Amino acid sequence: MTRGRAPTASLVVKVGGSAGVDLDAVCRDVASRWREGERLVLVHGGSDRTNQVAELMGTPPRFVTSPSGHTSRYTDSDAMEVFLMVYCGALNKRIVERLQRLGLPAVGLSGLDGRVLEGTHKRSVRSVENGKVRVLHGDHTGTVERVNAELLELLLEAGYLPVLSPPAASYEGSAINVDGDRAAAAVAAALGAERLVILSNVPGLLADVDDETSLIPSLTLAGIDAAMASAGGRMKKKLLGAAEALRGGVEQVVLGDAREPAPVSAALAGRGTVIAVSSREE
Ligand code: ADP
């Protein structure tokens, strides 16, 4: 294992859990950058695997669309069991295992561990169904409001690579499902990271979701609201996360493609949608 003293992370990488995401390529790229001295935190999702396991367990996933058009998982107690199993279990450990095989001192954490991610428990959710708004109770979700940056810094300074996933801890001490993209944004802001890379199974933000050649190569913070209109539910969360990270002091957010051979490096080289507070020409 290559441990050594290091400053805290200048980069946060979030890798999604959608079909097509190449975790091996992401881990290889993270490993080669780490060996060159780059310090980072890796945040991961796991939506696809969670859906598969939920089906296998006989508790199919349920998604709700809020009146403002945001789609999210309805996380009742059964869904939370599956969520914990997949995110904190197999997925996190398989990423840690990969990175350790590549010689990296990876430490897997969920937002619950050491209360790295904290937020308010939202117990009900408004859902638009057949044009009508319904209120669903028993939801275990929330939004990250606080990050235990001290614990992440402690690990980084001791030479470890934190591999972090939802859920977060509510202030009452229960597990809450939080969006991984927005969690990564909160982590990047709390650590004072310069860059946040959000990798998914698309080249970046597309003008037309069905046309991979319609990539929007750059965007400013002021342009995010307008771009939100062309983004589908799940891409909206990434744009929201990007805006939160930039407002929190992160210099640049790149929405990149996790199907590339070296996805983190490609995104940092500008392949994807590069989002900054203002454009270079301004
Ligand atoms: P992950 O699980 O990898 O974080 P998500 O599935 O949550 O990723 O979000 C990526 C998905 O967002 C894409 O697979 C795509 O179907 C969807 N999407 C909706 N609108 C857009 C858009 N305008 N540009 C790119 N992707 C979009």
Side-chain angles (χ1 to χ4, degrees):
M1 293 211 185
T2 49
R3 284 186 52 201
R5 272 201 62 74
T8 78
S10 58
L11 174 66
V12 172
V13 175
K14 153 77 191 346
V15 58
S18 291
V21 163
D22 188 347
L23 280 177
D24 286 322
V26 174
C27 290
R28 273 197 308 273
D29 199 14
V30 163
S32 70
R33 299 188 73 91
W34 184 272
R35 281 191 219 103
E36 282 163 18
E38 183 152 54
R39 292 299 170 256
L40 62 113
V41 173
L42 183 61
V43 179
H44 69 84
S47 50
D48 227 50
R49 190 77 191 119
T50 304
N51 297 345
Q52 289 163 6
V53 175
E55 295 280 358
L56 286 172
M57 304 272 298
T59 53
R62 184 165 168 194
F63 293 93
V64 294
T65 303
S66 71
S68 55
H70 292 283
T71 305
S72 59
R73 184 185 298 273
Y74 173 57
T75 313
D76 61 9
S77 316
D78 286 343
M80 180 52 83
E81 283 302 299
V82 178
F83 192 87
L84 288 167
M85 242 182 258
V86 176
Y87 276 71
C88 313
L91 263 179
N92 186 274
K93 298 317 152 206
R94 288 297 190 199
I95 294 175
V96 167
E97 180 188 43
R98 275 185 181 86
L99 291 166
Q100 290 185 353
R101 271 207 308 268
L102 292 163
L104 263 62
V107 175
L109 293 164
S110 79
L112 270 178
D113 297 293
R115 308 181 66 77
V116 171
L117 304 173
E118 273 187 314
T120 303
H121 183 172
K122 210 167 144 242
R123 291 163 204 275
S124 60
V125 64
R126 295 202 306 150
S127 165
V128 181
E129 287 168 27
N130 303 323
K132 289 207 179 109
V133 179
R134 278 187 61 198
V135 178
L136 302 174
H137 298 283
D139 199 16
H140 297 268
T141 60
T143 305
V144 175
E145 290 153 357
R146 286 210 306 234
V147 174
N148 182 354
E150 228 171 81
L151 177 56
L152 294 174
E153 280 162 0
L154 202 71
L155 287 169
L156 287 159
E157 277 160 15
Y160 291 101
L161 163 59
V163 180
L164 181 65
S165 77
S170 75
Y171 298 119
E172 295 81 26
S174 62
I176 48 172
N177 181 3
V178 292
D179 178 66
D181 298 311
R182 296 179 70 192
V187 168
L191 290 177
E194 282 160 31
R195 302 212 268 182
L196 167 65
V197 168
I198 300 179
L199 298 171
S200 180
N201 63 349
V202 278
L205 175 67
L206 304 171
D208 171 2
V209 66
D210 297 319
D211 177 5
E212 291 218 352
T213 64
S214 69
L215 176 74
I216 297 171
S218 65
L219 210 57
T220 61
L221 179 56
I224 287 184
D225 278 351
M228 203 78 97
S230 72
R234 297 171 71 170
M235 189 40 74
K236 277 194 204 306
K237 289 278 169 66
K238 297 184 197 304
L239 291 175
L240 214 56
E244 287 163 355
L246 295 174
R247 287 197 196 99
V250 176
E251 283 169 28
Q252 191 183 66
V253 180
V254 188
L255 306 182
D257 195 338
R259 303 165 302 174
E260 291 257 0
V264 181
S265 301
L268 290 172
R271 280 217 290 288
T273 302
V274 178
I275 314 175
V277 172
S278 55
S279 65
R280 278 168 201 263
E281 295 78 43
E282 279 174 33

